[in-house]
Amino acid sequence: MKRLFFLFLIVLALSVQAQHRSSMYKDGEIQLVPDAAYAKHADLNQLFPDASQSEPSKSRGAVRSMVVAPDGSVFMSLRTKHLICKFDKQGNFVKTFGKKGGKKPCDFIYEPTVQGILDGKYVYTIAVDGRMHFFDLNGKWVKTITLKYMPLNTYPLKGGKIAIVGFSVGKQNRTSVRILDFRNGVEREIFSEIQPNQDKASIVITPNSRGEIDNEGKYHVATSYKPPVIGCLLPFSHDMYYRVRITSSTDGNLIVANPSNGQIAVYNPLGQKIKQFVADIKPEVISKEDREEYYQKAVKELKKLEEDVQKSDKNKEYWNEYIFQYKAQLYKFREPASYPDHLPYFSEMMIDEDDNILLFRFTREEGSNKFDVYTYDHKGVRIASSSFVSDSYELKINPAVFRFHNRCIYSYVSKKDAGNGGYELVRFNLR
């Protein structure tokens, strides 16, 4: 299956200062040049040894999130150790703080993700249990707020407000955007949508009720145990592709962009809508040829599974039933109804310090270490196009590890020839 890579789209200019950056976007090619003096003494492979481990249960160590404070210091999550790392404005390691536990309100029960700097005073984290931890910039715990839903992403606004994309599980799964007041914990919902039923876009397996697979992959005869249904999603059908993306502007306004329809709305910190427009983007569709490619790949993978099961004496009853049900649903890979009408208008959204909004649009071209940039004015009219290029680093275009600050881009990336173990904290200058 073809690789995905992200196509930069600069959509909105909200300030006079944006002219400098907008002019740069018009120059045709923007080089991301690493600052050789930055973080030269920070050995991230020693600080984050889990980043290079390839076991499935530990490879999540390479998943990072980072934020940049007003003074240029960087806070980065060390998730598998339940810690937050602080680096100074030169990229030197300063300290870690936080700890795993559950007895104290400041403990991390689940792996934390560092999210933002609130009002220049507090660095805060989220976790799957809904707990938001707030620390001062020296790492001293200040406050914990517990949400009644899972926070997927957040952005700090101004005046103690935080925008949150939340996910609630129930009879109907729901995604919402809320604005939380740090001072009193009060939330205001400004957007909500029900997630679609995924059964049509999934290979749904009901395991044999006479047995179960435990956490180590071993099969056991069950007595009263009813095994869960297993769902294997078809390509591009997961609702995460279509959930709203959020960011915040320099004046503290909230920007909400909807990948399913290209709609962009701007709200003030009180949740009042200021403006709205649709990005001038034509999303790609999944063609008949694409569906056939996915079908043939599924057939090949299923054949490999059948061969492996035949060679083994372990858990045959379970796996034969799994194969039988999967094979009966292979037709879904060829069915247009199993796929969305079109791919998302974009995959991610960011904003630079000049309040240009960046949308990263899905394409299925063979990607290089290059990201094309399209610029639009405040009405959504295209102005120019250019490219972001890094000669030596594998850019990771993810808002969690790609941060604009003081005319630079801070990122957690690896060199092209470094393999799994070469991640670095890098400050790029734009030229």
Side-chain angles (χ1 to χ4, degrees):
M1 188 173 65
K2 303 181 184 73
R3 284 179 56 191
L4 285 177
F5 85 103
F6 301 109
L7 195 61
F8 265 107
L9 298 155
I10 312 301
V11 182
L12 180 62
L14 298 175
S15 70
V16 175
Q17 288 182 328
Q19 295 302 315
H20 174 75
R21 181 59 61 81
S22 295
S23 297
M24 179 179 288
Y25 292 142
K26 296 178 184 179
D27 289 339
E29 187 171 272
I30 302 170
Q31 288 282 344
L32 270 62
V33 181
D35 182 343
Y38 182 75
K40 62 184 296 184
H41 301 299
D43 187 349
L44 267 66
N45 293 315
Q46 181 178 359
L47 288 171
F48 305 150
D50 55 346
S52 61
Q53 295 175 354
S54 59
E55 298 176 28
S57 62
K58 296 180 179 179
S59 60
R60 67 185 187 278
V63 179
R64 298 278 180 248
S65 59
M66 56 182 283
V67 295
V68 186
D71 67 354
S73 57
V74 172
F75 296 86
M76 184 181 295
S77 61
L78 180 49
R79 294 180 59 190
T80 56
K81 292 187 179 297
H82 294 72
L83 294 173
I84 305 300
C85 289
K86 179 180 180 179
F87 302 85
D88 67 18
K89 63 181 180 180
Q90 300 301 328
N92 300 309
F93 171 72
V94 176
K95 66 188 320 184
T96 62
F97 57 91
K99 71 181 183 68
K100 184 177 181 179
K103 295 182 178 179
K104 297 181 179 179
C106 59
D107 292 348
F108 294 127
I109 299 176
Y110 294 95
E111 295 177 358
T113 300
V114 66
Q115 288 279 289
I117 306 292
L118 181 62
D119 291 335
K121 299 178 181 179
Y122 311 113
V123 57
Y124 70 91
T125 68
I126 61 171
V128 295
D129 61 346
R131 299 210 310 172
M132 301 178 68
H133 288 63
F134 295 81
F135 302 85
D136 68 20
L137 300 190
N138 291 317
K140 181 180 179 182
W141 175 77
V142 175
K143 186 176 184 178
T144 294
I145 296 176
T146 302
L147 307 174
K148 295 181 179 179
Y149 51 87
M150 181 191 300
L152 301 176
N153 190 23
T154 78
Y155 262 89
L157 307 178
K158 284 190 174 179
K161 302 293 197 304
I162 300 174
I164 304 171
V165 177
F167 183 67
S168 302
V169 178
K171 291 183 178 180
Q172 292 179 316
N173 295 341
R174 182 181 296 273
T175 296
S176 63
V177 176
R178 301 163 183 255
I179 294 179
L180 169 72
D181 192 322
F182 164 77
R183 295 163 296 188
N184 55 26
V186 173
E187 298 177 70
R188 175 177 179 178
E189 184 176 274
I190 63 171
F191 175 87
S192 179
E193 65 179 359
I194 296 172
Q195 298 299 324
N197 187 320
Q198 293 292 340
D199 284 357
K200 289 184 178 180
S202 304
I203 303 296
V204 181
I205 308 294
T206 305
N208 190 324
S209 60
R210 289 173 292 173
E212 65 176 306
I213 297 291
D214 64 19
N215 292 334
E216 297 179 354
K218 296 179 181 179
Y219 181 79
H220 300 277
V221 175
T223 53
S224 60
Y225 176 77
K226 183 178 180 181
V229 171
I230 300 172
C232 308
L233 288 171
L234 273 64
F236 309 116
S237 59
H238 197 287
D239 56 20
M240 68 180 181
Y241 292 123
Y242 300 91
R243 290 172 183 159
V244 293
R245 307 308 200 248
I246 62 172
T247 188
S248 57
S249 60
T250 55
D251 57 6
N253 287 331
L254 166 65
I255 301 163
V256 179
N258 195 328
S260 63
N261 56 23
Q263 200 170 79
I264 299 173
V266 181
Y267 298 83
N268 65 24
L270 298 177
Q272 299 165 331
K273 186 182 292 186
I274 300 172
K275 63 177 68 177
Q276 180 174 302
F277 65 92
V278 177
D280 180 20
I281 304 170
K282 184 178 181 180
E284 294 187 26
V285 297
I286 297 176
S287 66
K288 180 179 179 180
E289 292 73 21
D290 293 328
R291 296 194 298 272
E292 183 63 24
E293 179 183 342
Y294 305 149
Y295 174 82
Q296 294 298 336
K297 182 178 180 180
V299 170
K300 184 177 180 179
E301 291 176 346
L302 186 60
K303 184 178 179 180
K304 175 65 167 58
L305 178 60
E306 287 181 298
E307 292 172 353
D308 290 342
V309 171
Q310 288 177 357
K311 294 176 184 177
S312 175
D313 294 328
K314 298 179 180 179
N315 312 327
K316 277 189 175 292
E317 183 180 4
Y318 173 88
W319 288 114
N320 284 334
E321 178 66 18
Y322 182 98
I323 291 169
F324 175 80
Q325 293 188 43
Y326 198 104
K327 187 180 294 185
Q329 298 177 72
L330 273 175
Y331 72 91
K332 292 184 178 181
F333 282 92
R334 284 175 164 162
E335 287 288 318
S338 300
Y339 298 91
D341 294 334
H342 56 77
L343 292 176
Y345 278 67
F346 53 88
S347 61
E348 290 293 352
M349 175 177 63
M350 298 182 200
I351 191 167
D352 67 17
E353 65 271 62
D354 291 332
D355 284 334
N356 297 303
I357 297 176
L358 286 66
L359 301 181
F360 299 73
R361 182 172 64 86
F362 267 108
T363 74
R364 288 176 289 160
E365 303 168 19
E366 288 295 329
S368 62
N369 203 39
K370 179 176 178 178
F371 299 85
D372 293 334
V373 183
Y374 292 85
T375 307
Y376 292 74
D377 67 13
H378 68 284
K379 295 181 180 179
V381 178
R382 185 178 296 182
I383 298 173
S385 63
S386 58
S387 300
F388 274 24
V389 179
S390 174
D391 293 333
S392 53
Y393 285 90
E394 297 287 353
L395 298 179
K396 187 180 292 186
I397 307 302
N398 181 330
V401 290
F402 197 89
R403 298 284 185 171
F404 289 89
H405 178 75
N406 196 24
R407 320 300 304 174
C408 297
I409 291 174
Y410 291 70
S411 194
Y412 176 69
V413 289
S414 63
K415 286 190 173 179
K416 287 185 175 181
D417 57 355
N420 292 330
Y423 286 93
E424 298 178 14
L425 177 61
V426 180
R427 181 170 64 196
F428 291 105
N429 295 308
L430 277 62
R431 296 177 185 172

